[in-house]
Amino acid sequence: MAAAVLAAALSGQARAAPAYDLVILHGRVMDPETRADHVANVGVRAGRIVAITSQPIHGTRTIDAKGLIVAPGFIDLHSHAQYALGYDLQAQDGVTTSLELEAGVWPIKPFYAVREGHARINYGASVGLQSIRVKIKIGQDDPATFAPPVENWGAILPRKAEWAESGLNPAERAREQAMVAEGVADGGLGVGVLYEYLPGLSRDELYEVMKVAAPLHAPLFVHVRAAEHADADHLMAPIQELVADSAATGAPVHVCHIGSKGLSAVPLLLEFMDKARARGVDITTEAYPYDAGSTAIGSALFNPGWQAHQGASYDAIEWPPTGERLTAETFAKFRAEQPGASVILHIIPDASVTAAVGHRGVMIASDAAPFVNGAGHPRGSGAFARVLGVYVRDKHAVGLMDALGKMTLLPARRLEAISPMMKRKGRVQVGADADLTLFDPATVVDRATYRHPTEPSAGIPYVLVGGVAVVDHGHVVADAYPGKGARAGR
């Protein structure tokens, strides 16, 4: 009898023990891959989702998510803000994985090493052609590999530099191609190509790089070359070039920020890429939900002829410290005296932004850049909340499930061939990584503006990375550093 009583007691204790590290109760669980959309309880153990059920569950910690969406953590393919403040602001915007893929870095290993154990959210980078050119031409490593260029952001976007303006000889090209392959082998998530910022990068050089990338399943993340004029005829040419090269080599291509590169021709270019994909060309694109871009005033983007390329003049350029629009005189002054300073470029038609954000195949990416003395573009703080608050809730330009897919599933799929670990991200499914963003669809909103770009988003009370809360009750958890490196081959 005593033995039976003891056995029953032990059985009761076992049932009472927490089954999960974390449970999320009563949330509206939305999974973009299966299109599942239902109220459920989610159980997390050892950083993975292990249960999604309507049955009661309990864990060591409980989050009551009643009234909240439980979504996959947002994946940003295009963030240059790979430093502490950048990660914190992106976490508050719902981002759980922030990747430097457009510019990339070289070498790859130190980029991951210096962030391991010190990152709020997941991180990763591509192999940067620009960084490789710096190494080949002047023998220096990219400083962004080791520490973000917070105080000298413009240094990576130079106006005049021999390594940017000149071509590579045959021996240098061979070395470039070998370094691309080495960088991918070291974990680089593709190849970053700042085409417009590298006037010396020829079409045949890029074609040769694409031939190296193709068998590695390494996507090229391309800031396309400048169009000669900002009309449909000329704006199509840079995209057509990439479609042709991708079709010829088999290399995957991702076009960065279609809004600022497509301008008034965005609808036409999206149709063109859709039809290319339907015929087997592996090309994708992204957009940020703003009608203005940003870059360093001293960059090659403002080389002579920029007005025709951008379809704009000096009064389209905003000087962030004062909010003033520039003139020929102030432009020349600031370009000479502060070439590394960022400016806001108001050139993207609102209709093009809406078309891109609303297009089901276009991913959302921030193009976040480091903030210098509090100045910068608000997209680094509010891009994802802005889609949910403005384009889903207010403008009805895109449905909620599709919007979530553009922020989560589509970016994950873009990287799955080179990084199998991405098959566990961008989903709310049993077996997926517990990278989750919980937000209130009625109140989620971006608060960052051009004058105050570091205001964090609101309406996102919980963000989890590997099951660890990095945003809790709307506040960053100061001692939480669960971010891990997303690498090729893993």
Side-chain angles (χ1 to χ4, degrees):
M1 177 65 110
V5 171
L6 178 60
L10 291 173
S11 175
Q13 289 175 7
R15 285 195 300 270
Y20 305 101
D21 301 330
L22 170 71
V23 296
I24 302 168
L25 303 181
H26 317 306
R28 180 182 168 189
V29 176
M30 298 185 69
D31 176 53
E33 185 167 60
T34 62
R35 311 289 286 186
D37 182 356
H38 57 111
V39 174
N41 302 321
V42 178
V44 174
R45 187 187 303 123
R48 299 275 182 91
I49 298 170
V50 294
I52 301 175
T53 178
S54 60
Q55 300 302 310
I57 57 176
H58 61 280
T60 303
R61 182 187 175 182
T62 298
I63 293 176
D64 185 354
K66 185 176 182 181
L68 302 178
I69 304 292
V70 180
F74 306 152
I75 300 170
D76 189 353
L77 296 179
H78 187 166
S79 173
H80 309 295
Q82 300 287 319
Y83 69 116
L85 176 60
Y87 291 152
D88 284 356
L89 289 169
Q90 287 216 287
Q92 291 174 96
D93 200 32
V95 174
T96 56
T97 301
S98 176
L99 306 173
E100 167 56 276
L101 301 183
E102 182 207 38
V105 300
W106 176 270
I108 288 291
K109 287 182 178 178
F111 174 90
Y112 287 96
V114 299
R115 289 163 175 81
E116 189 170 352
H118 303 285
R120 191 86 63 205
I121 58 180
N122 303 319
Y123 52 91
S126 68
V127 183
L129 275 195
Q130 177 164 286
S131 302
I132 286 175
R133 275 176 162 261
V134 172
K135 182 66 171 179
I136 290 173
K137 288 290 190 180
I138 63 176
Q140 292 183 2
D141 285 332
D142 180 357
T145 295
F146 306 99
V150 177
E151 298 303 327
N152 195 18
W153 168 236
I156 77 161
L157 304 175
R159 177 180 58 187
K160 293 290 184 183
E162 188 274 338
W163 54 263
E165 301 283 344
S166 66
L168 300 183
N169 63 39
E172 290 170 333
R173 288 192 183 194
R175 186 180 177 195
E176 176 185 58
Q177 293 161 30
M179 291 170 76
V180 166
E182 179 185 342
V184 173
D186 286 342
L189 291 167
V191 184
V193 185
L194 288 170
Y195 211 163
E196 186 169 14
Y197 296 102
L198 295 171
L201 176 60
S202 63
R203 291 177 177 83
D204 60 315
E205 180 188 337
L206 182 60
Y207 172 69
E208 295 293 335
V209 169
M210 291 178 75
K211 289 196 296 183
V212 173
L216 302 175
H217 307 291
L220 283 89
F221 298 89
V222 187
H223 176 124
V224 303
R225 63 181 173 84
E228 292 183 19
H229 296 281
D231 56 39
D233 179 34
H234 292 90
L235 289 166
M236 281 199 75
I239 308 298
Q240 289 174 323
E241 172 188 355
L242 295 177
V243 167
D245 285 352
S246 179
T249 64
V253 172
H254 182 82
V255 176
C256 296
H257 42 54
I258 190 63
S260 62
K261 298 312 299 174
L263 301 176
S264 61
V266 163
L268 175 63
L269 293 171
L270 293 178
E271 175 189 318
F272 175 65
M273 284 187 276
D274 283 347
K275 292 185 178 298
R277 276 194 301 275
R279 286 159 177 79
V281 179
D282 190 356
I283 187 165
T284 56
T285 193
E286 66 182 45
Y288 49 74
Y290 297 87
D291 61 4
S294 180
T295 193
I297 193 171
S299 76
L301 187 144
F302 290 117
N303 280 359
W306 69 267
Q307 294 97 326
H309 301 164
Q310 306 297 333
S313 190
Y314 299 102
D315 61 358
I317 305 172
E318 178 180 342
W319 185 244
T322 62
E324 68 185 283
R325 298 299 181 99
L326 299 188
T327 64
E329 292 74 22
T330 54
F331 173 85
K333 178 178 183 292
F334 292 140
R335 186 165 162 88
E337 295 176 356
Q338 302 182 55
S342 294
V343 291
I344 307 297
L345 192 56
H346 295 271
I347 58 172
I348 309 171
D350 183 67
S352 292
V353 180
T354 301
V357 172
H359 190 284
R360 191 168 181 178
V362 176
M363 303 170 206
I364 302 302
S366 71
D367 196 6
F371 296 102
V372 180
N373 298 322
H377 195 297
R379 63 196 180 191
S381 304
F384 293 86
R386 182 171 179 80
V387 170
L388 296 171
V390 174
Y391 290 90
V392 174
R393 186 178 61 235
D394 298 344
K395 292 190 173 185
H396 305 288
V398 61
L400 179 55
M401 185 68 82
D402 286 339
L404 292 177
K406 292 152 68 70
M407 301 175 177
T408 61
L409 181 65
L410 295 186
R413 284 178 171 170
R414 173 73 281 181
L415 294 170
E416 285 175 6
I418 191 169
S419 180
M421 68 178 288
M422 298 307 292
K423 294 179 181 178
R424 301 194 308 270
K425 298 190 183 295
R427 289 109 166 147
V428 186
Q429 299 173 19
V430 171
D433 291 342
D435 296 347
L436 298 169
T437 294
L438 281 60
F439 66 91
D440 184 341
T443 63
V444 62
V445 67
D446 62 307
R447 299 190 297 183
T449 66
Y450 294 110
R451 294 306 307 278
H452 303 286
T454 60
E455 286 295 315
S457 295
I460 305 177
Y462 301 99
V463 178
L464 310 175
V465 176
V468 176
V470 296
V471 174
D472 197 338
H473 290 87
H475 301 288
V476 170
V477 181
D479 59 351
Y481 297 103
K484 298 184 183 303
R487 293 175 170 87
R490 297 189 185 182

